[in-house]
Amino acid sequence: MSTNISVPDIGDFESVEIIEILVKPGDIIKVNDPIVTLESDKSSVEVPSPIQGKITSLEVKIGDKVSKGSILAQVESGDIKVKEKTPPKDKVVKTRKEIEKEENLLPVTEKIINEAELAITPKIKENSDKKISSRANGSDIDPIETQEWLDSLESVLKKDGTERAHYLLKKLSDEAYKEGSAQPITRITPYINTIPVESEVKSPGDQNIERRIRSLIRWNAAAMVVKANKKNPELGGHIGTFASAATLYDVGMNHFWRGKNNKFGGDLVYFQGHSAPGMYARAFLEGRLSATQLANFRQEVGVDGLSSYPHPWLMPKFWQFPTVSMGLGPVLSIYQARFTKYLINRGLLKDEGRKIWTFLGDGETDEPESLGAISLASREKLDNLIFVINCNLQRLDGPVRGNGKIIQELEGIFRGAGWNVIKVIWGSYWDQLLSKDKTGLLIKRMNECVDGEYQAFKANDGSYVRKNFFGKYPELKDLVSSMTDRDIWKLNRGGHDPHKVFAAYDEAMKTKGKPTVILAKTIKGYGMGKSGESINITHQQKKLGEEDLLYYRDRFDIPLTDKQVRNIEFYKPDEKSDEIKYLKERRRNLGGHLPERTSFSKPIKKPSKDIFQNMLNSSGEREMSTTMALVRMLTNLLRDKNIAPRLVPIIPDEARTFGMEGFFRKIGIYAHEGQKYEPEDSDQLSSYREDKKGQVLEEGITETGAMSSFIAAGTSYTNHDLEMIPVYTFYSMFGFQRVMDLIWAAGDSQTRGFLVGATSGRTTLAGEGLQHQDGHSQLLASTVPNCISYDPTFAYELAIIFQDGLRRMHDQQENIFYYLTTMNENYKHPPMPKNCEKGILKGMYLFKEFNNKGKTKVQLLGSGTILREMISAAEILSKEYNIDSDVWSVTSFNELRKDGMTVERHNLLNPTEKLKKSYVEECLSKRDGPVIAASDYMRSFADQIRPYIPKSFYSFGTDGYGRSDSRKNLRKFFEVDKEHIVTYTLSALAKEQLVPTNYAEKAMKKYKINKEKPIPTVL
Ligand SMILES: Cc1ncc(C[n+]2csc(CCOP(=O)(O)OP(=O)(O)O)c2C)c(N)n1
Ligand SMILES: [Mg+2]
């Protein structure tokens, strides 16, 4: 049977051009195989076949204009699989008229509301004579009634267990809510541990040895900071952070975190930046770092130094994740956990139950990045993610929440967001006291104390705690009357108790369907005594005096003599000691070391050259933007079987702005739950198709999230041994300017991928105005050492750059990433001139020579869309003024500067050698005339090459705030239009006495250039 394939609904577009035909008569096609590519002035999209069969004839050719219903091809098929669109069962499709008609019925609706209101009035009245819930001081107004409820609860707990009790409580709570209680009951629980003693899973570890190991790590971590600062007080460092977190790390290292090996991918641990000395100290005991390296903490310029914080760029075999800029670790790890599931759901990675652990400080949760993405984690059911928040109640300057309780605040926030919350507040010494507390007074006291008080307790001593904590109520005073002050001082906090920490980690590992946060209460500067325990200056404490060191040694039983302590020696027991044997065996059992950065990924095979071929040809009469060219190129790449599965298009809710909506249907939007609804546009070509195996990361409006995904995908070659190609396309103004710190972290992480600043340039995005018009992202990109940036004008430049990017990052395995700016200005694209590939990549090439006129010549350098103003200016100069010019397309002022400074440095370092020429000089030194450069960026973008040009040099750009107007007016305003370039060129030539001065004056009159207009930076 012969069937027509016709154009489906393509949204608002009529008469759209066919730019590619992807099948020929005789081809056997499957459902969804692309037939043709259509391109409107905004986007290009493939039309998939709704049926399978054999193409018998084609009814269209390239260049034809088609609309919905136009026949594309005929197919011979037996089995037609066109999905009939049936509206979902209860979806009633209403016409506009029907809706309007309904709206006219409003009075009836109002009647219904009135009736409903009348019906509920008596209930409200009933509520109003209820008794008060408790007295103003919080005490119970009816203890007998309360006891009855508690008894009922206890019997349910005994008879049917906690699940049933929870169910009943939830039912009660729901009922109360329905009856008007707007206070949800479960957000915050009492200030005690979440896991009751009887449910704690006990650690199988040898506690004595583990304590000894931990003490040695504590000592060496502190010693390395003190030693560095004794050598040179400039070096800095932190003792207090790791001192408070040592147990949290050790329990993980000894029992939970699995290393990477040839059988298992390894857990991923984001270590809190300031606790780096603790990780070095452990690696020292493990024999992975030497004493010399420890002694060189924070002295990285020579050999064998250790970086201050986790920086994969500086220690590429050790650190995996840069976390020291507070807030980045949490958000990066959430998206890491999400990306891991993405790879698994797409069938690219085996599900091995790997976990992502993230350590952060309680103060760090002030950062919006720390908490900003937590709802994504629960929404996506990231049960592979565990946060451990070290709640030492302090940050740098003082208490985190002196007047409140950070643990309670975080509990509410995380539980509200749908996380599993485990509080580890009190250590085992409290268990007995809590079990004796029949009246609940101890918990009441725990609840009412604020963090400022808790901090003060630990900055003092046992007698202070007796007086100020227990002393408030006579019953509590009695409770501890048989304890000495020393005993009271021993009442430890949960985060320092390996049993409690073990139980919490165990529970977190078993949690299914949601992420877990462990809120562990600790003491900042634990063990530092008077010099730093729980005092406001702890964070800054890096120089322990002799007395403090001796105290620290004694506190943790380090077998060093006084003399050795004075020399600040590190301590490592013999290889055959129980401690070292135990430590190594634990890691062996857990599969390998942590942290450790390795990569066993296989390079992605190069795409065939013809994938890029259509971009190297002229676009003919067709006009398109470089953003469209990018989308076309990605569409082509999705046809390459090696590249296609590895591409990760990332977009923060801007696909339609960039004409990328065609990807929705073609490769699907990643959604861990698939698509539970029929999208309203399901019959359209660019339908919003969500899919468990979807490839596009449609992040919603979060550039921070999108950037975190970019880093996760771009470091997949090391974290998952799988190379991926993230292409994150964003509104260029909301890229570097918005998320520069994450871009810096991307560089540090050695991320590979393409950042695409679309709709870039100060004047190309005409109407959008000041907050949208980016004239500086290229400059920001130039500050990131391993970011390679380009501002191409033509489709072929983009293709050459992208192709080379793939070669460098995936063939050569270079740890670089790209920043490409693309525009939304439509114009014709010429064919690629001969032999310009090398120049495109180096940063400039000769685009065109105008030299048929006179002797006077000028060098015109243009970048991005402003190159086209340069070309027009060159035509005017040639036609109207007989001035010849060489027009250079500058694809990257940034790359030219890198080359220039490298060559200049070489020449300065080798004064006796023959001078080398920078690439800019090579291009321009034998060419006549002054150099005029312009771009859609600030002048300093082009100015970067000024030192390497041995000629007079003028640069023009878009310094100042953008504003909304037409492109033409904006270019006139910023003085980068062809008229200004002609005028300024004439003036520059006049200065060199190459043309008469009145040329420029006349041009100014002709083009109505107002000399009195202030420079745009002040407007
Ligand atoms: C974005 C950012 N801002 C400021 C700092 C400086 N800083 C380093 S540590 C610190 C306090 C950390 O407190 P907390 O998160 O509670 O960690 P703790 O050391 O108490 O475990 C600050 C403000 C930073 N590293 N990053
Ligand atoms: Mg803190």
Side-chain angles (χ1 to χ4, degrees), residues 383-447:
D383 49 13
N384 55 347
L385 178 67
I386 299 165
F387 268 25
V388 181
I389 307 188
N390 177 19
C391 298
N392 54 25
L393 316 185
Q394 286 177 244
R395 49 186 173 209
L396 193 150
D397 283 340
V400 177
R401 294 287 182 275
N403 292 320
K405 280 203 280 296
I406 186 65
I407 292 185
Q408 300 298 83
E409 182 178 322
L410 292 173
E411 175 186 26
I413 293 170
F414 277 92
R415 181 162 297 119
W419 285 52
N420 173 39
V421 179
I422 303 177
K423 297 196 287 188
V424 186
I425 302 179
W426 308 112
S428 307
Y429 290 111
W430 287 91
D431 288 343
Q432 248 200 352
L433 285 185
L434 280 162
S435 74
K436 282 191 209 155
D437 173 40
K438 296 294 174 214
T439 57
L441 204 56
L442 180 56
I443 296 179
K444 179 175 153 49
R445 181 71 187 121
M446 287 168 164
N447 279 335

Side-chain angles (χ1 to χ4, degrees), residues 238 240-242 244-245 272 274 309 323-328 360-365 367 390-398 400 522 524 539 741:
H238 304 87
T241 300
F242 177 70
S244 69
Q272 195 187 346
H274 299 80
Y309 300 118
T323 48
V324 77
S325 174
M326 317 229 96
L328 300 196
L360 55 154
D362 48 357
E364 187 170 3
T365 60
E367 291 284 3
N390 177 19
C391 298
N392 54 25
L393 316 185
Q394 286 177 244
R395 49 186 173 209
L396 193 150
D397 283 340
V400 177
T522 61
K524 190 138 179 170
H539 193 83
D741 201 12

Side-chain angles (χ1 to χ4, degrees), residues 28 78 116 133 147 252 411 547 632 648 681 743:
I28 304 290
S133 61
Q147 196 53 49
E411 175 186 26
E547 285 310 303
R632 245 201 209 194
V648 185
D681 56 0
I743 291 176

Side-chain angles (χ1 to χ4, degrees), residues 426-676:
W426 308 112
S428 307
Y429 290 111
W430 287 91
D431 288 343
Q432 248 200 352
L433 285 185
L434 280 162
S435 74
K436 282 191 209 155
D437 173 40
K438 296 294 174 214
T439 57
L441 204 56
L442 180 56
I443 296 179
K444 179 175 153 49
R445 181 71 187 121
M446 287 168 164
N447 279 335
E448 71 192 14
C449 262
V450 293
D451 282 353
E453 292 172 288
Y454 280 118
Q455 188 195 340
F457 295 151
K458 285 298 175 189
N460 284 282
D461 55 18
S463 74
Y464 182 92
V465 178
R466 184 192 301 280
K467 179 163 169 260
N468 293 287
F469 180 76
F470 295 106
K472 174 142 187 217
Y473 300 112
E475 295 91 326
L476 293 186
K477 216 171 168 182
D478 285 351
L479 192 68
V480 293
S481 58
S482 62
M483 293 168 74
T484 64
D485 286 350
R486 241 181 103 86
D487 291 336
I488 289 181
W489 191 240
K490 268 193 177 164
L491 291 169
N492 55 348
R493 290 190 178 169
H496 295 300
D497 184 328
H499 296 291
K500 303 285 179 194
V501 174
F502 184 94
Y505 286 8
D506 184 78
E507 179 89 13
M509 289 287 286
K510 290 174 186 155
T511 300
K512 291 264 171 278
K514 47 168 92 171
T516 294
V517 60
I518 293 166
L519 302 170
K521 181 160 164 153
T522 61
I523 298 164
K524 190 138 179 170
Y526 183 72
M528 288 166 74
K530 294 281 165 245
S531 66
E533 192 156 331
S534 205
I535 56 176
N536 280 337
I537 57 153
T538 305
H539 193 83
Q540 304 292 74
Q541 189 61 287
K542 57 195 178 206
K543 285 184 250 173
L544 297 185
E546 249 170 48
E547 285 310 303
D548 296 330
L549 281 172
L550 289 167
Y551 169 86
Y552 206 66
R553 180 215 40 199
D554 296 341
R555 170 80 179 72
F556 293 110
D557 309 319
I558 311 296
L560 288 177
T561 63
D562 287 6
K563 191 170 161 224
Q564 286 173 310
V565 169
R566 283 192 195 97
N567 284 342
I568 321 171
E569 290 184 19
F570 300 122
Y571 183 78
K572 183 178 172 187
D574 189 81
E575 283 297 306
K576 294 200 180 83
S577 65
D578 289 346
E579 290 87 347
I580 299 293
K581 277 202 296 205
Y582 185 91
L583 171 111
K584 287 193 167 173
E585 187 214 82
R586 291 310 312 146
R587 288 314 310 162
R588 238 190 335 270
N589 287 351
L590 286 160
H593 294 303
L594 265 172
E596 188 170 65
R597 188 177 183 278
T598 55
S599 175
F600 302 102
S601 63
K602 291 198 192 83
I604 302 175
K605 284 214 177 86
K606 266 192 288 198
S608 68
K609 280 213 161 153
D610 49 293
I611 292 279
F612 297 96
Q613 190 52 49
N614 62 2
M615 297 187 63
L616 309 185
N617 301 335
S618 157
S619 69
E621 285 309 298
R622 283 189 52 71
E623 295 199 335
M624 65 171 172
S625 66
T626 39
T627 306
M628 274 171 70
L630 170 89
V631 176
R632 245 201 209 194
M633 182 170 63
L634 294 177
T635 308
N636 289 349
L637 281 164
L638 285 167
R639 291 179 199 143
D640 182 285
K641 74 174 184 347
N642 295 315
I643 300 280
R646 306 302 182 90
L647 271 180
V648 185
I650 304 170
I651 325 153
D653 201 33
E654 293 285 359
R656 292 178 203 280
T657 313
F658 309 136
M660 295 174 97
E661 63 271 39
F663 289 167
F664 292 168
R665 178 121 189 194
K666 189 173 165 56
I667 49 176
I669 297 164
Y670 173 68
H672 74 287
E673 292 184 303
Q675 193 157 37
K676 295 175 171 173

Side-chain angles (χ1 to χ4, degrees), residues 895-909 916 918 948:
E895 286 301 293
L896 294 177
R897 175 193 65 115
K898 282 185 196 167
D899 171 78
M901 65 183 183
T902 311
V903 171
E904 183 181 73
R905 177 173 177 272
H906 173 90
N907 289 340
L908 289 171
L909 287 172
K916 278 192 177 180
S918 68
Y948 318 117

Side-chain angles (χ1 to χ4, degrees), residues 632-785:
R632 245 201 209 194
M633 182 170 63
L634 294 177
T635 308
N636 289 349
L637 281 164
L638 285 167
R639 291 179 199 143
D640 182 285
K641 74 174 184 347
N642 295 315
I643 300 280
R646 306 302 182 90
L647 271 180
V648 185
I650 304 170
I651 325 153
D653 201 33
E654 293 285 359
R656 292 178 203 280
T657 313
F658 309 136
M660 295 174 97
E661 63 271 39
F663 289 167
F664 292 168
R665 178 121 189 194
K666 189 173 165 56
I667 49 176
I669 297 164
Y670 173 68
H672 74 287
E673 292 184 303
Q675 193 157 37
K676 295 175 171 173
Y677 61 98
E678 174 147 0
E680 63 81 20
D681 56 0
S682 60
D683 50 355
Q684 284 189 15
L685 197 51
S686 302
S687 165
Y688 200 85
R689 186 172 74 82
E690 302 193 63
D691 188 347
K692 193 166 177 175
K693 286 183 178 296
Q695 194 164 350
V696 176
L697 289 174
E698 160 58 271
E699 302 293 12
I701 313 167
T702 163
E703 285 76 14
T704 298
M707 199 53 216
S708 303
S709 283
F710 176 76
I711 295 174
T715 53
S716 172
Y717 70 93
T718 152
N719 295 321
H720 306 293
D721 289 332
L722 186 72
E723 292 192 8
M724 300 298 286
I725 310 169
V727 182
Y728 166 27
T729 311
F730 48 88
Y731 232 121
S732 95
M733 190 65 150
F734 306 128
F736 278 78
Q737 168 159 310
R738 181 84 178 217
V739 291
M740 184 63 169
D741 201 12
L742 278 162
I743 291 176
W744 194 249
D748 189 351
S749 310
Q750 310 189 35
T751 307
R752 300 177 194 161
F754 295 94
L755 292 175
V756 181
T759 60
S760 69
R762 190 93 79 203
T763 66
T764 46
L765 188 61
E768 292 289 323
L770 183 150
Q771 192 76 66
H772 284 73
Q773 292 164 345
D774 156 37
H776 47 283
S777 66
Q778 281 288 348
L779 278 170
L780 298 176
S782 78
T783 62
V784 184

Side-chain angles (χ1 to χ4, degrees), residues 268 270 330-346 349 354 356 373 375-385 515 648-651 669-673 690 692 694-700 702 704-710 712-713 720:
L268 301 174
Y270 287 71
V331 72
L332 288 172
S333 65
I334 290 176
Y335 282 86
Q336 176 68 262
R338 199 289 210 92
F339 188 72
T340 309
K341 294 234 175 197
Y342 164 94
L343 291 178
I344 293 168
N345 282 328
R346 285 195 52 212
L349 195 70
R354 292 164 65 203
I356 287 93
S375 58
L376 171 108
S378 46
R379 195 162 62 240
E380 304 237 350
K381 301 190 170 53
L382 300 180
D383 49 13
N384 55 347
L385 178 67
V648 185
I650 304 170
I651 325 153
I669 297 164
Y670 173 68
H672 74 287
E673 292 184 303
E690 302 193 63
K692 193 166 177 175
Q695 194 164 350
V696 176
L697 289 174
E698 160 58 271
E699 302 293 12
T702 163
T704 298
M707 199 53 216
S708 303
S709 283
F710 176 76
H720 306 293

